[in-house]
Amino acid sequence: MKFFIDTANLEQIIEAQAMGILDGVTTNPSLMAKEGITGEANILKHYVDICNLVDGDVSAEVISTDFDGMVREGEALAKLHPQIVIKLPMIGDGVKACKYFSDKGIKTNVTLVFSAGQALLAAKAGATYMSPFIGRLDDISTDGLGLIADIRLIYDNYGFETQILAASVRHTMHIMDCAKIGADVMTGPLSAIKGLLKHPLTDIGLAKFLADFEKGN
Ligand code: E4P
C-alpha cells in the first residue's frame, strides 16, 4: 500500500519524507490556497518545490473544466517535472482528457470520485490513479469505505490496472480499513499516518526496557 500525504505544506512533506514511508503527495486548489500559494507562477513553482522534496508521484490539479483547457494545462504541468501526475476532475471532459493523457503515457489521477460507476469510467479511460473521497462521503452519512470495497471488487473482476487512491482520508482507522479492503494507495493528513505509530504497550514496554537497562549499568 502506498502512502501519499494530502497537503501543500512543505514542512509536513519534509517531515513525512524524513519518516521514510512516503510514496507521494496529492494537492488540490484548496490545499494550495490554504498555504497562501496563489497566482499561476507561484503555484507552478510550488509543484516543482514539492517534487524536489519527495521521491514519488505528485498530483497537480487542472483548473479548466473543458477538454482543450485541461489538455493545455495538463501538458504544461507534465513538463514541469517527471514526477507530476495530472489530476483531472470526474466530469465528461475530464474522462476524455484522461484518455488523451493515458494514450500519451502521461500519468493521471481522476479526482472527485463518489460512485463505483465513476470509478469504472476512470479505469476505462486508463487512469493511473482514481481518487474516491471517503471522508466527504462519510460526512453526508454515506459509506465511504463501502465504496472502496465495491470499486476493489469491480477492478479485480476485470483486471483493471488503475490504482485505487483512497482520498479524503481523515483519520488513522480510515487507513487501516482501506488497507484491509485493499486500496492501492491512501492519501491523508500527516496526523493520520502518525496515528499508526501509537500504542500504549509500546510506550510502556520501551520505558521498562530503558529503566531495566539503567538498573544494570
Ligand atoms: C484528494 O486528492 C483530495 O485532495 C483530498 O483527499 C480531499 O480531502 P478532504 O475531503 O479532506 O478535503
Side-chain angles (χ1 to χ4, degrees):
M1 186 187 199
K2 291 184 198 167
F3 276 19
F4 288 0
I5 187 173
D6 194 32
T7 186
N9 181 286
L10 299 184
E11 285 73 30
Q12 286 194 21
I13 292 168
I14 290 167
E15 186 178 346
Q17 175 72 19
M19 284 174 76
I21 47 78
L22 190 66
D23 299 299
V25 175
T26 52
T27 63
N28 63 42
S30 306
L31 293 170
M32 283 288 190
K34 192 174 163 195
E35 298 306 316
I37 314 294
T38 54
E40 195 186 345
N42 290 332
I43 290 172
L44 297 184
K45 181 188 172 301
H46 204 70
Y47 285 138
V48 175
D49 290 345
I50 293 173
C51 288
N52 288 333
L53 290 173
V54 298
D55 295 327
D57 288 342
V58 175
S59 288
E61 189 159 343
V62 300
I63 304 302
S64 302
T65 53
D66 64 293
F67 174 76
D68 290 340
M70 287 186 204
V71 166
R72 201 169 39 249
E73 262 190 79
E75 283 180 339
L77 288 168
K79 278 187 196 137
L80 281 179
H81 199 283
Q83 285 165 240
I84 291 283
V85 174
I86 312 304
K87 203 172 178 189
L88 301 156
M90 171 38 79
I91 55 176
D93 279 24
V95 172
K96 202 172 149 189
C98 177
K99 175 79 175 116
Y100 172 88
F101 286 118
S102 53
D103 282 350
K104 288 183 152 238
I106 294 173
K107 285 187 181 178
T108 53
N109 174 1
V110 174
T111 190
L112 291 167
V113 170
F114 293 95
S115 76
Q118 292 177 327
L120 188 52
L121 281 175
K124 292 281 293 173
T128 313
Y129 299 105
M130 175 283 311
S131 297
F133 279 33
I134 58 177
R136 291 192 195 185
L137 281 170
D138 289 356
D139 287 346
I140 57 159
S141 304
T142 303
D143 184 7
L145 291 165
L147 174 61
I148 302 288
D150 285 348
I151 299 169
R152 183 72 282 158
L153 175 69
I154 292 168
Y155 279 15
D156 288 350
N157 280 347
Y158 297 99
F160 284 121
E161 288 179 6
T162 297
Q163 295 179 54
I164 301 173
L165 197 174
S168 189
V169 159
R170 299 277 171 76
H171 49 72
T172 306
M173 276 309 292
H174 268 157
I175 302 177
M176 290 318 300
D177 288 332
C178 284
K180 286 183 205 164
I181 294 166
D184 300 288
V185 192
M186 80 84 206
T187 192
L190 182 58
S191 58
I193 296 173
K194 285 166 88 173
L196 294 168
L197 280 170
K198 293 180 192 156
H199 199 289
L201 291 179
T202 303
D203 298 337
I204 292 166
L206 181 60
K208 179 158 174 30
F209 285 154
L210 294 180
D212 288 345
F213 173 80
E214 285 305 323
K215 276 187 222 159
N217 284 281

